[in-house]
Amino acid sequence: MSNFVSAAELKDLLSSGSPVRVIDVRWSLDRPDGCGEYLSGHVPGAVFVPLHTELATHGEAADGRHPLPSTEELQNAARRWGVNHGDIVIAYDDSKGLGAARAWWLLRQAGVDVRVLDGGIRAWKAAGFEIATDDVVPVPGDAVLEEIGADAISIDEAAAFPESGILLDARAPERYRGETEPYDPAAGHIPGALNVPMAAYLDADGKILDTDTLQQTFAGVGVTPGIPVAAYCGSGVTAAHTALVADEVGIPLKVYPGSWSQWSNTPGRPVATGDQPG
């Protein structure tokens, strides 16, 4: 079964009476709270999910910008969204799947049947489906989540990963090369990492590319059956999108959630620059 649903498939699910909970995870680095956009128009029945408080926690700079929430915190959030045992959760956003992928990555680990709306709210609007502007506050759900964290690696594991597998850097090429760094204290990448930005997986409308193209993209950096692979980005959000895409084509991939925001804030960690792994 695909990790993605089309706008038409979501419409059918909602019309069928299936136990579906839709969550709106609009988020970006320069606009961490997308609630205003949610209120301006969302899928009917969708609950707004603030990524920075419910799909992440906060601590010291050396923890990274988006450390993982505890399983209890995630469970409390899912219940606030109205998620019950056995529900199908459909996540979407308006930023090519970034926020939705973070929700998918966490909830999938927690044993939830979760999928992503391919193309997000833009695909829903393009299909001509109804838009709502209310602030949905559902009856709290009763979901019981499994322990999360098994699909994550630590900073030390990330450092050692290129010795036995492939570590992907999902950031923009100029950040990987160290030519610019708008958010973190050092520019460059983790030594040994290979750069495959998230744009490599999407078409012009922000929808996922076909399976053959995706498999070729991964194979082009040496990701083949049996090779361990992990990904990081700036703060663990875009890397979750890499995990989503990889899983769609049958590639198990772990995420380093601390990502560059943790690495660059940890004294003594080496930094590579240029277009080679280093």
Side-chain angles (χ1 to χ4, degrees), residues 169-197:
D169 184 319
R171 296 174 301 160
E174 61 271 19
R175 292 183 69 193
Y176 171 84
R177 294 192 296 263
E179 296 167 2
T180 183
E181 182 44 65
Y183 307 108
D184 297 312
H189 59 267
I190 296 174
L194 299 169
N195 185 217
V196 184

Side-chain angles (χ1 to χ4, degrees), residues 108-175:
R108 181 174 178 267
Q109 293 179 68
V112 176
D113 182 357
V114 56
R115 299 164 214 171
V116 170
L117 174 59
D118 197 12
I121 190 64
R122 297 174 190 178
W124 181 265
K125 291 179 178 178
F129 296 141
E130 180 186 357
I131 292 294
T133 57
D134 57 332
D135 187 2
V136 178
V137 181
V139 174
D142 62 9
V144 177
L145 303 190
E146 298 172 11
E147 193 70 24
I148 64 171
D151 290 343
I153 62 172
S154 68
I155 188 170
D156 289 333
E157 289 171 321
F161 210 90
E163 298 174 10
S164 58
I166 294 174
L167 181 64
L168 300 178
D169 184 319
R171 296 174 301 160
E174 61 271 19
R175 292 183 69 193

Side-chain angles (χ1 to χ4, degrees), residues 212-238:
D212 287 345
T213 300
L214 295 173
Q215 289 175 332
Q216 290 172 16
T217 297
F218 283 114
V221 291
V223 177
T224 55
I227 300 294
V229 58
Y232 74 94
C233 54
S235 63
V237 176
T238 306

Side-chain angles (χ1 to χ4, degrees), residues 20 43 53-54 61 111 113 119 143 162 196 206 210 225 242 251 253 273:
V20 178
V43 174
T53 58
E54 292 191 328
D113 182 357
V196 184
D210 64 275
T242 301
I251 298 171
L253 182 150
T273 56

